[in-house]
Structure formats: C-alpha cells, structure tokens
Amino acid sequence: MEAARARGRNGGRPKVAANEAKVVLAKKLHADKSLEIDDICKTLRISCSTFYRYVRLD
C-alpha cells in the first residue's frame, strides 16, 4: 500500500458525493414523512444501510 500511495494511487471504492441524484432523491423522499423507509429503498433499489448513509451525508 505504501508503494502504491507513493505512486499516487489510492485504494478502495470512491466515496459518494452528497449532490448525486440518488442521494438528493433519497433525502427528499425521507423529508416527505409519508413514505416508509422500506418503500423508499425499494423505489431507489438500495439497501436500508445505504439509505441511512445517504441521509447522513451533508
């Protein structure tokens, strides 16, 4: 890992930005309060843990 970092390479999956379409939509649906979390997750085709991670993003 040290050698890769020395060459300017970072490992791991890229982070999700707070302004991506799915993140913005998830926050908007969550703010609506009329939909359940499971319904939002099925609509966006994401897991519940991903949904909560999206909502936590600033």
Side-chain angles (χ1 to χ4, degrees):
M1 290 299 291
E2 290 176 24
R5 286 194 182 113
R7 291 190 311 266
R9 298 179 182 266
N10 294 325
R13 188 179 180 97
K15 301 291 183 189
V16 175
N19 60 357
E20 287 191 24
K22 270 193 178 181
V23 177
V24 172
L25 186 57
K27 287 181 178 184
K28 190 180 292 186
L29 292 173
H30 182 63
D32 186 21
K33 302 291 184 190
S34 65
L35 297 170
E36 293 189 15
I37 304 297
D38 290 335
D39 295 333
I40 296 171
C41 293
K42 287 177 186 174
T43 302
L44 297 177
R45 293 187 177 137
I46 57 175
S47 67
C48 287
S49 59
T50 301
F51 170 76
Y52 286 116
R53 191 175 336 116
Y54 283 0
V55 172
R56 203 173 53 227
L57 287 175
D58 289 322

